[in-house]
Amino acid sequence: RSRKGSLLWLLDKTSTAMGGRLLRSWIEQPLVDEEKINRRLDAVGEFAQEHVLTMTLAEELQGVYDIERLLSKVAYKSMNARDCLSLCASLQKVPKIRELLREAKSQAVEEIRDSLDTLPELTDLLTRAIHPDAPILITEGGIIRDGYSQMLDEYRAASTSGKQWILELEQKEREETGIRNLRIQYNRVFGYYIEVSKSYYEMVPARYIRKQTLANCERYMTPELKEIEQKIVGAQEQSTRLELQLFTEVREKIAEQIARIQKTAMALKSLDALLSLAKSAIEYHYVRPEMTQDGTLDIVEGRHPVVEQTMSEGGFVPNDTHMNADDCRMCIITGPNMAGKSTYMRQVALIALMAHIGSFVPAKEAKIPVTDRIFTRVGASDDLAAGQSTFMVEMTEVAEILKNATKDSLVILDEIGRGTSTFDGMSIARSVVEFICENIGCKTLFATHYHELTSMEQDIHGVKNYNIAVKKRGEDITFLRRIVAGPADDSYGIEVAKLAGLPGSVTKRAHAVLRQLEASAPGRNNTMQLDFDTVEAYNNPSVPSEVVEKLHNVDIETLTPLEALNFLYELKNTLDKD
């Protein structure tokens, strides 16, 4: 459930928050209209060819704030001065971005350019009105720039001059009374007052009016100080009240332009999302897909977009995919676990999805049919809280696919029927394949370990067999990660178990049991009786069983001279060890 490892994580190179949200919505809601898809592809292609322009535009967009969120604050009247500065900074980027797009050729980019409204009158208003260092709270004052309102400037001047008046009065009182440490101070309870320490009580003149007595000092008021206080405090209150009124007017003027701002925001986030797809195409060497209406799906050297970027070592092995609406609608893919069947099927689905969001795709060439939906049944899961087993969940999902898929859908099915007995699962898998081929006709990739299903290529029109190539050396196997025509010759389950770390004694025993099962499978009322004496004899021959198995399994036709020497060396070591 993390973002890392997802297609969104790979493609999201947006510069703005609103661009990132739009790209996510594109991935969640792909286009199904060929004309709209090609318009988006044209725009991505134009930016992918202009590297310098793409990077320059991305840098400009980094200075754009989340305009959509700012406008929601306007609607709720919760926008503060800092938000206004963010909106102003974003709008100031628009003229430069519009200028960079002046030679746009694709229709989508031209529409973006024409939708960019510079709103010069609003930008000018915000520049003149809002102080660049405005506080967050609009009730503290200091949010309106000097020079915007003459009356506000007068109040501020009175407040500033009042401080000088206090200093002059303090000096005057010291000289008249001879009290050297006389101070004029302020608090919110008493306002301004004259403070005199106890040692100077006898020097306090009669005109002083006592306001408060403390342990070490007395506080006094004079008519002159009271008059100055009224002027200063009145000016501050009037200034704060007027600032709030002026800011409210500015916010109302922003609200009047919401429609124009929203149009510009939509253009900016669309540009950001297109640039993100273009940057991905440049960085990962993607190509433009060709959208088709004849049902042809033709991918040359396709790659899984996420897996190839997360592989720590070794290069990703590309594979081709060729499907159509006639003789190759259903691909039955066989091969061992870990060989890459699921990766291959998912890469086809992701390439189709990327094409429908207007993105370039990881391939050398790609023709993608316009698809209405992509259905997947991949992985095992259960829903214990709802009382559903893994098999029940699997069957429920398959049922939904069979009900809703159309001939224009793409279906990915991974090992249908594995959650029940072999024959039940095989029967369900075959009937699902038949139903899709005969009643729906959609393009389907079907991975299975039921090798009996590969016979359907001869029985049903539109079915083709493919497998993931594997190279076997005795008990060792190498996954070649290449998909080739035809069914797989083995499941290589025991070899995969050995790779997973199962003890050698367990895998040797598994080989012995497998031979007996294969020998006794045909006939005899279709039962598989194990002759454990025969199994035991196999485990303890005159020649070590490991050597026998390696000789039996080696493919001499594919051995190179060097591999033959290495194989001979392995046999000798095995004999010497035993």
Side-chain angles (χ1 to χ4, degrees):
R1 293 285 179 179
S2 66
R3 179 185 175 91
K4 181 175 174 57
S6 66
L7 184 62
L8 177 62
W9 163 78
L10 184 77
L11 297 180
D12 190 358
K13 301 181 184 301
T14 53
S15 302
T16 67
M18 53 186 181
R21 290 195 300 272
L22 180 64
L23 181 62
R24 183 186 184 111
S25 72
W26 284 1
I27 295 175
E28 292 174 342
Q29 300 174 336
L31 298 172
V32 293
D33 183 280
E34 183 180 8
E35 182 181 351
K36 292 180 179 179
I37 294 171
N38 283 321
R39 282 175 55 194
R40 202 176 280 177
L41 288 170
D42 289 341
V44 173
E46 182 175 355
F47 288 132
Q49 292 175 353
E50 300 287 344
H51 293 200
V52 176
L53 174 62
T54 298
M55 298 308 164
T56 304
L57 285 167
E59 289 176 5
E60 290 296 322
L61 284 171
Q62 287 177 356
V64 176
Y65 292 85
D66 196 339
I67 299 177
E68 291 179 323
R69 294 283 170 86
L70 294 176
L71 291 181
S72 68
K73 290 187 176 183
V74 175
Y76 288 107
K77 297 183 179 180
S78 61
M79 190 179 205
N80 59 36
R82 296 273 182 89
D83 295 330
C84 289
L85 292 173
S86 298
L87 178 60
C88 183
S90 302
L91 294 177
Q92 286 173 337
K93 292 285 185 180
V94 174
K96 177 70 178 297
I97 294 173
R98 187 182 173 95
E99 177 63 20
L100 289 169
L101 297 175
R102 69 183 183 279
E103 296 181 2
K105 300 178 180 65
S106 63
Q107 183 181 353
V109 180
E110 286 180 352
E111 291 177 357
I112 289 174
R113 181 194 61 205
D114 296 339
S115 298
L116 289 172
D117 193 336
T118 57
L119 288 103
E121 66 285 351
L122 184 57
T123 305
D124 177 65
L125 170 66
L126 294 174
T127 303
R128 289 186 298 106
I130 307 301
H131 196 283
D133 297 321
I136 295 177
L137 296 177
I138 62 176
T139 56
E140 292 183 354
I143 58 178
I144 300 297
R145 187 191 284 264
D146 292 340
Y148 180 71
S149 168
Q150 182 180 353
M151 184 175 295
L152 180 60
D153 292 343
E154 291 176 357
Y155 285 137
R156 286 176 173 171
S159 178
T160 304
S161 299
K163 295 177 182 178
Q164 184 62 35
W165 297 338
I166 293 295
L167 291 175
E168 291 175 356
L169 180 61
E170 184 181 71
Q171 184 61 32
K172 175 187 171 185
E173 290 295 334
R174 284 178 181 175
E175 293 174 355
E176 289 184 356
T177 62
I179 303 173
R180 293 193 305 273
N181 65 353
L182 181 148
R183 292 180 301 174
I184 298 179
Q185 294 184 320
Y186 174 84
N187 67 32
R188 295 189 177 184
V189 178
F190 295 104
Y192 286 96
Y193 53 85
I194 298 172
E195 186 173 281
V196 180
S197 62
K198 281 189 175 182
S199 57
Y200 291 98
Y201 281 177
E202 68 279 3
M203 299 176 66
V204 175
R207 59 188 175 86
Y208 278 24
I209 304 168
R210 182 180 285 107
K211 291 191 68 174
Q212 188 181 20
T213 301
L214 300 178
N216 298 318
C217 63
E218 292 278 353
R219 291 176 177 176
Y220 301 94
M221 172 60 69
T222 66
E224 187 177 1
L225 180 58
K226 187 66 175 178
E227 183 180 348
I228 293 174
E229 179 185 26
Q230 290 175 349
K231 289 181 179 179
I232 295 172
V233 175
Q236 290 175 341
E237 291 177 353
Q238 291 293 336
S239 175
T240 303
R241 189 180 299 113
L242 181 57
E243 273 199 81
L244 183 57
Q245 178 185 335
L246 293 172
F247 180 74
T248 302
E249 292 174 359
V250 170
R251 197 160 58 186
E252 289 173 353
K253 290 179 180 177
I254 295 174
E256 293 173 1
Q257 304 297 333
I258 279 184
R260 294 173 64 187
I261 301 173
Q262 283 178 330
K263 185 178 180 182
T264 296
M266 174 60 75
L268 289 172
K269 69 179 184 180
S270 298
L271 175 63
D272 195 14
L274 291 171
L275 289 173
S276 178
L277 296 178
K279 285 189 283 187
S280 297
I282 295 169
E283 181 176 349
Y284 304 133
H285 308 291
Y286 293 167
V287 299
R288 174 172 180 161
E290 177 187 343
M291 306 306 296
T292 64
Q293 290 285 1
D294 60 359
T296 300
L297 190 151
D298 195 356
I299 301 172
V300 179
E301 294 186 14
R303 314 184 302 274
H304 192 294
V306 178
V307 173
E308 75 165 341
Q309 298 304 321
T310 55
M311 291 180 66
S312 57
E313 57 183 29
F316 187 89
V317 179
N319 275 295
D320 298 346
T321 306
H322 306 288
M323 302 180 75
N324 56 46
D326 182 27
D327 62 346
C328 189
R329 302 189 306 273
M330 168 77 68
C331 295
I332 295 181
I333 305 169
T334 50
N337 290 315
M338 297 295 296
K341 299 190 301 296
S342 294
T343 299
Y344 172 72
M345 294 194 301
R346 294 182 197 207
Q347 101 183 13
V348 174
L350 284 174
I351 288 174
L353 175 66
M354 291 171 69
H356 283 78
I357 69 174
S359 170
F360 281 25
V361 299
K364 186 176 180 180
E365 296 177 19
K367 291 183 179 179
I368 308 296
V370 177
T371 305
D372 59 1
R373 283 184 249 183
I374 299 174
F375 293 96
T376 64
R377 163 84 280 274
V378 178
S381 61
D382 54 25
D383 187 354
L384 300 181
Q388 292 188 324
S389 66
T390 298
F391 180 68
M392 185 62 180
V393 171
E394 178 182 298
M395 290 299 100
T396 301
E397 293 181 1
V398 172
E400 289 299 313
I401 293 173
L402 299 184
K403 288 177 185 176
N404 297 295
T406 71
K407 65 180 182 61
D408 295 322
S409 301
L410 174 62
V411 177
I412 307 297
L413 299 174
D414 194 0
E415 299 186 32
I416 295 299
R418 62 183 170 180
T420 185
S421 68
T422 301
F423 293 116
D424 282 353
M426 191 187 306
S427 302
I428 292 171
R430 182 179 180 102
S431 61
V432 167
V433 171
E434 291 176 351
F435 184 89
I436 291 175
C437 290
E438 296 170 1
N439 297 282
I440 302 176
C442 60
K443 281 167 284 298
T444 306
L445 296 172
F446 188 102
T448 183
H449 283 293
Y450 297 135
H451 294 275
E452 292 81 358
L453 297 181
T454 57
S455 63
M456 298 178 72
E457 184 178 72
Q458 287 78 38
D459 302 336
I460 302 176
H461 179 71
V463 176
K464 295 291 182 183
N465 287 323
Y466 291 92
N467 73 91
I468 305 293
V470 173
K471 192 171 187 178
K472 187 170 182 179
R473 294 285 181 268
E475 292 184 7
D476 298 323
I477 59 173
T478 302
F479 300 127
L480 301 182
R481 313 294 187 191
R482 298 289 298 182
I483 187 163
V484 295
D489 57 354
D490 197 352
S491 290
Y492 302 101
I494 299 175
E495 288 79 2
V496 174
K498 183 179 178 182
L499 287 177
L502 256 65
S505 60
V506 174
T507 55
K508 287 171 65 176
R509 179 69 171 172
H511 273 295
V513 174
L514 176 63
R515 284 181 176 278
Q516 183 62 24
L517 286 171
E518 289 175 341
S520 60
R524 296 186 185 175
N525 299 322
N526 293 325
T527 60
M528 295 185 229
Q529 299 289 335
L530 282 179
D531 182 354
F532 287 103
D533 292 334
T534 305
V535 172
E536 196 64 32
Y538 175 79
N539 280 335
N540 298 283
S542 57
V543 179
S545 62
E546 190 174 347
V547 175
V548 175
E549 290 174 16
K550 287 185 176 182
L551 287 170
H552 177 77
N553 293 321
V554 68
D555 185 359
I556 299 176
E557 299 296 331
T558 63
L559 283 178
T560 65
L562 180 60
E563 289 173 337
L565 285 173
N566 288 333
F567 181 65
L568 185 60
Y569 181 74
E570 289 178 12
L571 291 181
K572 186 176 184 305
N573 283 342
T574 303
L575 287 171
D576 292 343
K577 182 174 63 178
D578 291 337

